[in-house]
């Protein structure tokens, strides 16, 4: 059996001074898989993503990314692992508004030599990679030098997707990436995201409270069902 | 480099606050440098008031007092000294030159100094610079000739050949004028930046001629009065003077001659070394000068606290920025370093602004300052001391930025990737 991309094993987590928020017995994600994780707001979705990203550490149990146990790593190594192998897309305001579109897309390459190297390998240079990704996501190259804050929300989300995908991370984590978009744009955005994840060979873990998105995915999980710390979340 | 670029871009995004912060730092740094430069130049010009003179001799009083009235033309002598005493020491084997000084009259607020031509020959100021005549010549045989200091000539708009009347005493409004014996301007000295600029120089004979017919501090009345021409005919040998300056043939002799003068049996005399007295005098003024310096340091501190406030206030609204950076791989120390870089940029910009303001200010105020206060501020590149001050400001800024850096560090650890605000 190959090593799963992400392997969560008996994970416990509580914020300091608060009751246990998460207890997940098992959650696995294989390479190239597209998983929809559903949960109402307040159910600990973002916290779970923080744990997977290695920004928070589990009180007990294990989160393994590409076989590496995050809790066993030092903070710096966790940060490196995160940027090397995961790309993040958030609900909105994903970008640093004062940087250009291009500079925003290139940010992960600034912090990760691995992603810079991969981007260059495939496209010749990181800037070429950024341009190609934006083009695939339906953004004109003319937008590259523009200030990110001047873009529409829909455009910003696509720039965020390009940033998450540059340098081919193995895992893309998207936290409610479509909730700020209207229905048409939402489907268009997801389609582009899927295409690019497939092209890059990345797994996608998308978290949303919007169940109608679930049909596009290989697998659907519900956090309230997974989470034993909250057997019956207030729905 | 990346962090610096990010800091610059982020600051540019908040350029209004950033500019105000930079302005506050620039003004405070400018104040600090101005105070520092004025302080140094004042001290330098103070110390360069007199040079090359080995001993200042006057009636017995305090050394600071003697220096004040003989060199700075401030205050009055407690007593005069006899002409014979001066002659005695002028002929002393170790003395190479002697300048008599006779004070007590004034002209529209400027002091009149009665002296000899030795004054133009031997008096030195600054780096042993001799007095230069900008126009005309020193006073000569005629007693009613006057040589003006540069500021006197400029402020009162006198030219060669003008005639002026001296007043008795040194009050700005003097009721007793020597208006029967006007003086003619024969020379105007070049600017020195010392009290010489604010002095009118006449010969001792002229001084004597003015007071020939005076008795008990009052002019003679009626027929007892002497006209200027009668005075020219009279015996104008001086009887007493206020003080004198001595140049010795070797510096080693200074203390011996000083002891000798202080023990002079003819009358009580006091001889002081100008350097020592200057130091004593400066130490009196040093407190005020240091207070000024400390105040300007505090103003810089206030400028930096303003910067600290601006950065701290921005932290909350920038949590999202921090979380985004964390999500793309920035470590918490990157976030902290970002804030330090920001403070560094602000402080550097402020310092450059301060320097620019200083240069502009000096360029604008140089002329008036020299004209009114005799203070010459050079438009010069900062010296080693000023660079050290600037470096200290920078270090202080970086140290202070540790506060927001630490907060942002903690905040980004606690917030993680959650940027729902």
């Amino acid at each position: 059996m190959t090593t799963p991309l992400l392997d969560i094993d008996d994970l416990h987590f509580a914020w300091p001074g608060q009751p246990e928020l998460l207890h997940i017995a098992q959650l696995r994600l294989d390479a190239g898989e597209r998983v929809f994780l559903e949960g109402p707001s307040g159910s600990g979705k973002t916290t779970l993503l923080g744990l997977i990203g290695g920004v928070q550490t589990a009180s007990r149990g294990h989160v393994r990314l590409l076989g590496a146990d995050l809790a066993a790593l030092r903070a710096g190594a966790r940060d490196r692992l995160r940027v090397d192998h995961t790309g993040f897309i958030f609900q909105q305001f994903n970008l640093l508004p004062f940087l250009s579109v291009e500079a925003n897309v290139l940010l992960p390459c600034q912090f990760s030599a691995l992603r810079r190297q991969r981007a260059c390998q495939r496209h010749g240079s990181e800037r070429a990679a950024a341009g190609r990704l934006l083009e695939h996501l339906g953004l004109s190259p003319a937008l590259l030098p523009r200030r990110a804050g001047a873009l529409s929300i829909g455009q910003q989300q696509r720039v965020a997707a390009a940033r998450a995908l540059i340098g081919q991370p193995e895992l893309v984590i998207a936290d409610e990436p479509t909730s700020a978009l209207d229905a048409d744009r939402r489907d268009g955005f997801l389609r582009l995201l899927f295409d690019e994840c497939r092209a890059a060979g990345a797994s996608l873990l998308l978290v949303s409270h919007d169940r109608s998105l679930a049909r596009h995915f290989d697998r659907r999980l519900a956090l309230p069902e997974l989470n034993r710390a909250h057997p019956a979340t207030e729905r | 480099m990346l962090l610096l670029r990010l800091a610059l871009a982020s600051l540019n995004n908040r350029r209004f606050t950033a500019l105000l912060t930079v302005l506050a730092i620039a003004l405070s740094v400018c104040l600090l440098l101005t105070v520092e430069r004025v302080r140094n130049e004042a001290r330098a010009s103070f110390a360069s008031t007199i040079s090359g003179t080995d001993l200042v001799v006057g009636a017995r009083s305090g050394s600071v007092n003697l220096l004040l009235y003989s060199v700075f033309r401030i205050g009055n002598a407690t007593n005069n000294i006899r002409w014979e005493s001066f002659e005695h020491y002028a002929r002393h084997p170790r003395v190479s030159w002697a300048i008599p000084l006779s004070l007590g009259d004034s002209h529209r607020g400027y002091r009149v100094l009665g002296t000899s031509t030795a004054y133009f020959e031997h008096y030195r100021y600054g780096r042993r610079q001799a007095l230069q005549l900008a126009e005309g010549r020193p006073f000569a045989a005629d007693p009613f000739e006057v040589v003006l200091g540069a500021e006197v000539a400029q402020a009162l708009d006198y030219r060669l050949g003008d005639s002026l009347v001296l007043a008795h005493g040194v009050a700005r409004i003097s009721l007793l004028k020597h208006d029967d014996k006007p003086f003619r301007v024969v020379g105007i000295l070049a600017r020195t930046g010392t009290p010489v600029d604010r002095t009118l120089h006449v010969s001792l004979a002229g001084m004597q001629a003015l007071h020939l017919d005076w008795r008990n501090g009052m002019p003679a009345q009626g027929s007892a009065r002497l006209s200027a021409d009668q005075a020219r005919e009279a015996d104008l040998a001086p009887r007493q003077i206020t003080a004198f300056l001595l140049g010795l043939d070797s510096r080693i002799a200074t203390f011996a001659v000083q002891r000798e003068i202080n023990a002079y049996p003819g009358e009580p005399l006091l001889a002081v070394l100008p350097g020592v007295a200057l130091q004593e005098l400066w130490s009196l003024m040093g407190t005020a000068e240091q207070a000024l310096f400390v105040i300007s340091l505090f103003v810089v501190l206030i400028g930096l606290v303003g910067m600290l406030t601006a950065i701290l206030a921005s932290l909350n609204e920038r949590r999202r920025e921090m979380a985004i950076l964390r999500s793309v791989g920035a470590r918490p120390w990157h976030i902290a370093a970002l804030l330090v870089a920001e403070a560094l940029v602000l402080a550097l910009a402020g310092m450059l602004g301060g320097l620019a303001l200083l240069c502009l200010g000096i360029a604008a105020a140089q002329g008036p300052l020299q004209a009114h206060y005799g203070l010459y501020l050079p438009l010069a590149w900062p010296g080693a001391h000023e660079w050290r001050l600037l470096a200290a400001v920078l270090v202080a800024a970086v140290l202070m930025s540790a506060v927001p850096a630490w907060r942002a560090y903690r905040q980004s650890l606690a917030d993680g990737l959650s940027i729902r605000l």
Side-chain angles (χ1 to χ4, degrees):
Chain A
M1 196 180 94
T2 54
T3 321
L5 178 64
L6 173 72
D7 182 11
I8 293 178
D9 183 17
D10 194 31
L11 170 77
H12 292 259
F13 181 81
W15 289 104
Q18 288 179 25
E20 190 163 75
L21 179 64
L22 289 172
H23 172 202
I24 293 172
Q26 183 120 68
L27 175 72
R28 289 181 51 158
L29 202 63
D30 287 319
E33 228 187 344
R34 289 182 309 208
V35 174
F36 180 78
L37 181 64
E38 180 224 322
S41 39
S43 58
K45 287 176 299 185
T46 304
T47 306
L48 178 60
L49 298 186
L51 286 162
I52 295 171
V55 180
Q56 269 91 40
T57 42
S59 323
R60 209 138 48 83
H62 303 281
V63 177
R64 293 191 188 86
L65 188 63
L66 289 159
D69 188 347
L70 293 182
L73 293 174
R74 294 166 55 137
R78 273 205 304 275
D79 288 331
R80 200 171 312 122
L81 196 70
R82 171 173 72 248
V83 64
D84 280 350
H85 303 292
T86 40
F88 283 87
I89 309 172
F90 299 107
Q91 190 170 1
Q92 54 172 317
F93 308 120
N94 266 297
L95 308 178
L96 297 180
F98 47 81
L99 291 184
S100 71
V101 167
E102 185 178 42
N104 264 291
V105 175
L106 291 179
L107 274 176
C109 296
Q110 309 275 4
F111 288 100
S112 163
L114 181 67
R115 286 177 70 174
R116 184 163 58 236
Q117 192 190 329
R118 283 184 187 161
C120 291
Q121 248 166 30
R122 189 150 154 206
H123 299 283
S125 74
E126 350 168 6
R127 302 185 64 177
R132 194 74 55 83
L133 270 169
L134 286 172
E135 201 184 315
H136 286 185
L137 288 163
L139 289 174
S140 143
L143 291 176
L144 279 172
R146 290 270 296 278
R147 231 174 133 263
L151 269 52
S152 74
I153 302 282
Q155 286 172 325
Q156 289 195 23
Q157 287 306 83
R158 282 183 275 172
V159 174
R163 186 180 63 197
L165 285 159
I166 196 166
Q168 293 140 280
E170 285 82 350
L171 175 62
V172 172
I173 294 176
D175 186 3
E176 303 268 15
T178 57
S179 65
L181 305 177
D182 56 41
D184 288 350
R185 287 163 189 275
R186 191 184 65 192
D187 289 344
F189 176 78
L190 279 182
R191 208 164 32 248
L192 289 171
L193 185 60
F194 287 159
D195 289 348
E196 283 310 303
C197 284
R198 195 179 303 117
S203 307
L204 175 65
L205 177 63
L206 188 141
V207 186
S208 178
H209 66 276
D210 181 357
R211 272 183 244 171
S212 68
L213 297 176
R215 59 195 160 87
H216 301 290
F217 288 79
D218 300 335
R219 199 142 63 93
R220 171 182 173 272
L221 298 168
L223 187 57
E225 289 161 24
L226 281 173
N227 187 4
R228 296 178 184 179
H230 276 250
T233 315
E234 58 290 4
R235 293 209 186 176
Chain B
M1 255 345 270
L2 168 70
L3 289 173
L4 198 60
R5 276 214 323 275
L6 281 174
L8 282 173
S10 178
L11 279 175
N12 185 38
N13 194 40
R14 291 169 281 130
R15 55 181 100 73
F16 188 66
T17 339
L19 275 180
L20 281 180
T21 309
V22 166
L23 186 67
I25 296 175
L27 285 173
S28 65
V29 165
C30 177
L31 180 72
L32 176 72
L33 292 179
T34 308
V35 165
E36 198 49 25
R37 203 163 277 195
V38 169
R39 214 160 74 105
N40 281 331
E41 291 311 317
R43 186 180 351 202
S45 89
F46 184 82
S48 67
T49 309
I50 184 167
S51 78
T53 296
D54 293 308
L55 289 170
V56 180
V57 185
R60 196 164 288 168
S61 61
S63 57
V64 169
N65 187 35
L66 173 56
L67 190 76
L68 277 176
Y69 70 72
S70 64
V71 175
F72 290 94
R73 324 265 190 265
I74 296 171
N76 292 301
T78 48
N79 242 321
N80 281 346
I81 54 180
R82 287 206 293 275
W83 179 247
E84 291 76 42
S85 309
F86 169 71
E87 289 204 299
H88 176 82
Y89 284 106
R91 282 195 305 266
H92 191 279
R94 309 308 311 258
V95 170
S96 50
W97 54 262
I99 301 173
L101 304 173
S102 182
L103 293 150
D105 282 357
S106 67
H107 175 72
R108 294 173 67 179
Y110 294 101
R111 300 288 178 108
V112 175
L113 172 68
T115 183
S116 69
T117 48
Y119 182 79
F120 301 104
E121 207 177 316
H122 297 296
Y123 188 82
R124 296 285 184 275
Y125 69 97
R127 293 185 192 85
R128 305 215 159 215
Q129 288 150 281
L131 297 175
Q132 302 280 339
L133 278 156
E135 290 175 80
R137 55 171 178 81
F139 48 72
D142 187 79
F144 300 111
E145 290 182 341
V146 59
V147 173
L148 303 181
E151 194 191 318
V152 180
Q154 198 189 356
L156 304 179
D157 199 22
Y158 284 132
R159 276 156 237 259
L160 292 185
D162 287 356
S163 82
L164 52 92
V165 167
L166 304 186
H168 191 71
V170 293
R172 203 159 261 270
I173 299 167
S174 175
L175 296 173
L176 297 170
K177 291 211 158 79
H178 301 292
D179 45 10
D180 54 339
K181 300 180 183 73
F183 279 72
R184 198 164 58 84
V185 177
V186 296
I188 294 171
L189 290 169
R191 196 172 277 284
T192 62
T194 70
V196 171
D197 294 350
R198 296 189 290 279
T199 308
L200 297 89
H201 307 84
V202 301
S203 64
L204 286 172
M207 208 65 163
Q208 185 64 24
L210 280 182
H211 301 99
L212 262 185
D213 50 359
W214 282 49
R215 295 289 175 270
N216 304 322
M218 289 295 286
Q221 301 296 320
S223 61
R225 277 193 100 142
L226 294 173
S227 74
D229 283 331
Q230 286 171 309
R232 281 190 178 95
E233 302 302 316
D235 171 22
L236 293 178
R239 303 203 185 113
Q240 49 185 11
I241 58 174
T242 316
F244 56 91
L245 308 177
L246 290 182
L248 305 180
D249 59 356
S250 93
R251 301 207 100 173
I252 306 157
T254 310
F255 291 105
V257 176
Q258 184 189 24
R259 264 199 308 279
E260 198 186 320
I261 294 174
N262 287 339
Y264 179 61
E267 66 179 323
L269 290 180
L270 173 70
V272 300
L273 280 69
V276 174
L278 275 172
Q279 207 130 67
E280 208 176 312
L281 187 52
W282 187 253
S283 70
L284 288 177
M285 311 209 280
T287 323
E289 164 230 31
Q290 265 160 22
L292 211 57
F293 179 64
V294 169
I295 289 169
S296 67
L297 277 186
F298 271 98
V299 173
V300 170
L301 197 66
I302 291 168
L304 291 180
V305 168
M307 174 190 81
L308 189 64
T309 315
I311 295 181
L312 278 175
S314 75
L315 274 193
N316 218 20
E317 63 193 69
R318 290 169 67 200
R319 288 178 113 134
R320 179 176 299 281
E321 187 182 322
M322 307 300 176
I324 291 169
L325 285 172
R326 288 281 282 146
S327 81
V328 297
R331 313 219 186 121
W333 73 259
H334 282 125
I335 305 289
L338 188 66
L339 288 157
V340 174
E342 199 168 287
L344 204 64
V345 167
L346 287 172
L348 263 177
M351 280 161 49
L352 287 179
L355 272 174
L357 276 177
L358 178 76
C359 290
L360 281 178
I362 288 181
Q366 207 170 25
L369 268 181
Q370 172 134 40
H372 293 108
Y373 301 102
L375 187 68
Y376 173 69
L377 288 185
L379 189 56
W381 200 239
H385 180 62
E386 286 171 308
W387 283 124
R388 270 199 295 279
L389 275 179
L390 289 176
V393 172
L394 205 60
V395 168
V398 169
L399 284 180
M400 287 177 98
S401 75
V403 177
W406 173 247
R407 280 191 62 145
Y409 181 90
R410 304 286 315 164
Q411 206 170 280
S412 75
L413 276 182
D415 283 2
L417 303 180
S418 64
I419 49 176
R420 298 213 179 99
L421 282 173

